[in-house]
Amino acid sequence: ANKKSYGKQMTVVWHVDDLKVSHVDPKRVTRFCDWIQSKYGSCSVNRGKVHEYLGIDLDFRTPGVVRMSMIPYIQKILDQFPEDLGASAPT
């Protein structure tokens, strides 16, 4: 969802109870989090250029570019898989 907040775009994306909020002014994100806390009791803020959201690494370090990767998430799934995936099987 997008909304103008103090003349700039605030973007909120969500999945169940996980939200990603962005705004050019960090005070707007803090205020949004305060509002969430008043409604639901908790909210945590992670600031910076690199984030993990729903298993996706989001890297905003290059201006105008977002790099996304799920390699660490997929590696974790493979590491936890109960069978050896290196063997071959007839089809």
Side-chain angles (χ1 to χ4, degrees):
N2 294 310
K3 181 180 179 172
K4 290 282 185 180
S5 176
Y6 290 81
K8 301 291 181 177
Q9 178 175 301
M10 174 178 276
T11 301
V12 180
V13 294
W14 64 90
H15 177 75
V16 186
D17 64 348
D18 291 316
L19 285 87
K20 181 188 170 303
V21 181
S22 61
H23 192 279
V24 64
D25 183 352
K27 293 177 197 165
R28 300 297 106 212
V29 175
T30 300
R31 186 163 177 175
F32 180 83
C33 186
D34 292 344
W35 178 78
I36 291 289
Q37 282 181 315
S38 74
K39 292 281 194 187
Y40 303 105
S42 68
C43 179
S44 63
V45 176
N46 298 303
R47 300 190 191 273
K49 299 287 185 179
V50 180
H51 304 275
E52 186 274 329
Y53 181 70
L54 301 175
I56 304 168
D57 291 339
L58 303 167
D59 183 339
F60 296 93
R61 290 179 287 191
T62 304
V65 175
V66 60
R67 288 193 167 87
M68 299 187 292
S69 172
M70 292 188 75
I71 292 172
Y73 179 74
I74 293 167
Q75 187 61 55
K76 181 180 173 183
I77 292 170
L78 294 174
D79 292 344
Q80 294 175 354
F81 198 74
E83 298 178 29
D84 179 15
L85 295 178
S88 61
T91 57

